[in-house]
Amino acid sequence: MLKAIPPLLRDRSATSRVAALSVVMVLLSGCASTLAPHNQPTGTIPADRGYHSGIAKPSPSPESVLVGLSFSGGGTRAAALAYGVMEELAKTKTTVNGKSVRALDLVEHISAVSGGSYPAAYYGLFGDRLFEDFEAKFLKRDIQGEIADAVMSPTNLVRMTSPYFGRSDVTAEFLDQALFEGKTFADMEHAVRVQGRPFVVINATDIARTSRFEFTQDLFDLLCSDLGSYKVSRAVAASSAVPVVFSPITLRNYASQCKTGIEKKPPADMAKRDVAIRRRALLADIQAYRDEKQRKYIHLLDGGLADNLGLRFMLDKLTLDSATELSDRYGRPRLRRIVQIVVNAQVRPVFPELDHKAEVPTLRAITFSIANTVDRFSVETLAYARSSMEEAAKALTEKQREQGDSTGDDVQVTLIEIAFDNLEDRAEREYFNALETSFNLPPEAVDKLREVGARLLRQSPEYQKLLSELPHLR
């Protein structure tokens, strides 16, 4: 397990040798514990239990409305912006079915990647504690520095000589103790079913296929594995595992130990070539997980590599299923409004010297280009989201009319984007665009991000329109 001999072993004194042997035995036992897969085999979990998407939760939402949030990546910048939006949702009171409720309580699901996964997972586990201690425990804490210290500790340096233990494992252990208190997805399921919290989807990237990987029992069923016993901290560590800086988080595939039906009936619009291509690609990714011989282990990195907006959770569901199945999944047979609030912490930095020199671009310039490629992909994802949601709304309208459930109006889609590009003040836009992607921002930057997130939501015409309509919806 150990690839290097600790300096302590070179001491010739008997006392030192005994002490060194004790240390090595502890380290070896630590390495042995990391060899065991962190995800356990169980077979397929029944749909009425387990952390499946669409699980029933006590909700004050009107039957005709489905509200979702998606949080982008971007380190503490993304976490603070999402936090500010959630603060505003918690402060906003509206009337639903004659009762006063918070706008935040209407949210059915939160899909998050990378930096956005931290407030999402914390709220999913601890609810309103988010507004009491998350600022001190994460937003205004040098998480980046503390993780670096943990990685560089003598114990972990030795543990990382094992090929089965990496920097993301250290990160997961740190987050488990410092933030998530040892909680698992069984705790997350309880929070949804019993306490009425949103269904939180933490997204990573399957690096073998560069496809989106979601921590839901739906996907773990394909691996014949139990998500309930898996720690939330490891999912968040995977979602924010920036390539090169962090190592992948690895899962074991037990697909041969159970059977599951993954073929789905094609939706009505399958004849459209673009839908067919997307659907076939998603089904190919799903089918691949059933081949344990070829895919014995699944390695995961930062979710932003596949979807830096957290939007594709809903879009993939619409592609694989249909809008009608979406309404059934959430118990909304008369769904009339599909609302998605996208908190996008994307920045648009510049690299002016790049185009002014003839020399081969530096590693820094190449890194800048790669980051911008992800951001450019996000623009396409937003455009795809609008068109896909509008098509889903049309299909659902037609289905409701066929079944006699229509009120006569078309199903409406509302996509609200919270982004720095929406700021009118140029100096303010430049300030936020200059904020680096890290997990250690100055306290004043965190405060400004919280404030601007709340302000952008308040100023959204679509959001204000939704609030004005809610009291009249059933």
Side-chain angles (χ1 to χ4, degrees):
M1 295 294 297
L2 297 176
K3 294 184 177 179
I5 300 176
L8 187 58
L9 289 181
R10 301 189 189 113
D11 194 309
R12 293 180 179 272
S13 72
T15 303
S16 295
R17 288 199 300 271
V18 171
L21 182 61
S22 299
V23 170
V24 170
M25 291 303 292
V26 170
L27 293 174
L28 284 173
S29 65
C31 283
S33 69
T34 64
L35 285 175
H38 288 268
N39 63 307
Q40 301 301 316
T42 60
T44 304
I45 306 296
D48 61 347
R49 64 184 180 88
Y51 199 64
H52 289 100
S53 58
I55 56 179
K57 79 176 189 101
S59 174
S61 298
E63 186 179 305
S64 60
V65 179
L66 179 63
V67 181
L69 299 177
S70 62
F71 297 159
S72 79
T76 298
R77 184 184 68 245
L81 188 66
Y83 183 84
V85 169
M86 295 181 78
E87 281 186 305
E88 183 64 22
L89 289 169
K91 292 175 182 176
T92 303
K93 293 292 183 67
T94 186
T95 302
V96 174
N97 296 326
K99 296 181 180 180
S100 178
V101 299
R102 303 184 308 173
L104 184 58
D105 296 328
L106 305 181
V107 175
E108 291 286 342
H109 59 82
I110 304 174
S111 175
V113 298
S114 200
S117 67
Y118 288 83
Y122 199 84
Y123 183 70
L125 288 170
F126 306 115
D128 284 356
R129 259 185 58 186
L130 177 82
F131 307 118
E132 298 169 6
D133 58 16
F134 188 73
E135 178 182 338
K137 292 178 72 172
F138 182 82
L139 292 178
K140 293 185 177 178
R141 182 175 177 178
D142 184 7
I143 292 290
Q144 186 167 296
E146 291 186 49
I147 290 176
D149 290 343
V151 168
M152 296 304 295
S153 72
T155 300
N156 284 328
L157 284 174
V158 175
R159 294 170 78 194
M160 285 188 293
T161 62
S162 163
Y164 305 100
F165 189 86
R167 293 180 297 279
S168 286
D169 295 291
V170 176
T171 301
E173 290 180 351
F174 172 82
L175 294 175
D176 195 49
Q177 296 175 8
L179 199 60
F180 296 116
E181 302 176 9
K183 300 294 185 181
T184 67
F185 279 91
D187 298 301
M188 198 83 88
E189 179 189 353
H190 181 270
V192 178
R193 293 188 186 273
V194 178
Q195 297 168 302
R197 302 229 183 92
F199 183 81
V200 176
V201 182
I202 306 301
N203 299 280
T205 298
D206 179 340
I207 60 177
R209 298 186 66 90
T210 59
S211 58
R212 185 182 67 87
F213 183 99
E214 63 181 51
F215 283 88
T216 65
Q217 189 58 56
D218 306 76
L219 198 148
F220 268 56
D221 278 346
L222 301 173
L223 307 178
C224 298
S225 183
D226 173 30
L227 179 62
S229 60
Y230 197 76
K231 288 194 172 183
V232 174
S233 59
R234 292 191 67 81
V236 173
S239 182
S240 55
V242 177
V244 182
V245 178
F246 292 100
S247 59
I249 288 285
T250 300
L251 299 174
R252 175 74 162 85
N253 190 351
Y254 306 99
S256 63
Q257 299 184 23
C258 72
K259 294 182 180 180
T260 180
I262 62 174
E263 291 298 334
K264 296 176 178 291
K265 181 181 178 182
D269 58 359
M270 191 61 183
K272 297 181 179 179
R273 185 173 181 275
D274 59 334
V275 175
I277 291 173
R278 292 198 299 267
R279 183 179 170 81
R280 279 197 291 268
L282 288 172
L283 284 175
D285 290 333
I286 290 173
Q287 290 276 7
Y289 290 117
R290 297 300 300 156
D291 189 349
E292 181 184 339
K293 184 177 180 180
Q294 295 296 323
R295 305 212 64 199
K296 190 173 183 179
Y297 296 97
I298 312 300
H299 303 286
L300 307 173
L301 280 174
D302 194 300
L305 298 172
D307 169 25
N308 201 39
L309 293 176
L311 258 176
R312 289 185 176 263
F313 164 69
M314 172 175 277
L315 301 182
D316 289 353
K317 291 291 183 288
L318 289 175
T319 299
L320 285 173
D321 301 327
S322 67
T324 302
E325 289 182 70
L326 182 70
S327 66
D328 292 342
R329 184 188 295 267
Y330 287 97
R332 302 275 202 288
R334 292 179 174 83
L335 182 62
R336 310 300 300 159
R337 301 282 194 286
I338 302 175
V339 181
Q340 190 72 26
I341 301 175
V342 184
V343 184
N344 182 6
Q346 174 183 337
V347 294
R348 302 189 186 281
V350 294
F351 204 108
E353 62 268 34
L354 182 61
D355 294 332
H356 293 274
K357 296 179 179 179
E359 293 92 336
V360 174
T362 63
L363 179 60
R364 177 169 168 261
I366 295 170
T367 303
F368 166 83
S369 176
I370 293 172
N372 271 9
T373 300
V374 172
D375 290 340
R376 185 65 65 107
F377 180 61
S378 294
V379 173
E380 299 299 325
T381 299
L382 274 169
Y384 165 44
R386 291 185 187 279
S387 61
S388 294
M389 291 174 67
E390 287 170 359
E391 285 192 14
K394 291 178 183 177
L396 184 55
T397 298
E398 293 175 5
K399 189 69 174 180
Q400 289 177 350
R401 286 174 178 166
E402 290 175 4
Q403 296 175 339
D405 293 330
S406 174
T407 60
D409 299 326
D410 290 342
V411 175
Q412 297 180 23
V413 168
T414 302
L415 185 61
I416 302 170
E417 185 190 9
I418 306 302
F420 303 131
D421 284 350
N422 295 338
L423 293 170
E424 294 182 0
D425 185 84
R426 179 179 177 180
E428 195 173 27
R429 286 198 308 273
E430 290 178 349
Y431 171 82
F432 290 112
N433 278 318
L435 291 178
E436 62 180 340
T437 301
S438 76
F439 285 102
N440 180 26
L441 290 180
E444 59 272 17
V446 170
D447 290 337
K448 289 181 179 179
L449 285 161
R450 289 169 55 186
E451 187 279 329
V452 80
R455 173 162 38 103
L456 285 171
L457 181 62
R458 282 195 307 272
Q459 292 176 350
S460 166
E462 296 89 351
Y463 179 63
Q464 292 304 324
K465 182 175 183 289
L466 174 66
L467 292 178
S468 68
E469 292 175 342
L470 282 171
H472 309 292
L473 300 176
R474 295 293 180 266

